[in-house]
Amino acid sequence: MPVFRFTVNGEPREVDTFDARPLLEVLREDLQLTGTKYGCGEGQCRACTVLIDGAPALSCITPVRSAAGKRITTIEGLARDGRLHPVQQAFAQEGAMQCGYCTPGMILQTVALLEKNPSPARAQILQALNGSLCRCNGYPRIVAAVEFAARLQRSMTAQQEVVHAAE
């Protein structure tokens, strides 16, 4: 079997496996990163979303060979130094989860959205999350969490700029 190397949540990783094996299986079974969820297995619900080189990817339909040499971020890779990522913080604060099954995929979709557009309009949020299914129908709180995350990240960026200007 071929060996695939990539960086997962900032750490170099190596897996010896079949090249067509879904990235989701490798993450969950080989690397024990179970935060990425198996939803439909067909790329239709986005519960399995991870970031590959910063872009959202559906890990249930992404063959591991496609991730070779790339940076993969899972939900486990967002928190730093024991502190939640601002998007995770916003989802928790807004109560944007019920069963929580879709939440990792929604959060990673939001991280990618805010990286590209720090001030998305509601329509842009809806567009970015279109296709991400929440069986609990918690969409209003999810949208509120994305809006709060955008405000939170802008506030943190502004504070960092003040600190850097004072140095």
Side-chain angles (χ1 to χ4, degrees), residues 17-28:
T17 190
F18 297 105
D19 66 347
R21 190 167 170 218
L23 178 60
L24 176 63
E25 276 186 26
V26 171
L27 293 170
R28 290 183 58 85

Side-chain angles (χ1 to χ4, degrees), residues 22-42:
L23 178 60
L24 176 63
E25 276 186 26
V26 171
L27 293 170
R28 290 183 58 85
E29 296 172 13
D30 297 12
L31 303 180
Q32 309 304 310
L33 296 169
T34 57
T36 305
K37 302 301 182 198
Y38 179 90
C40 65
E42 300 174 349

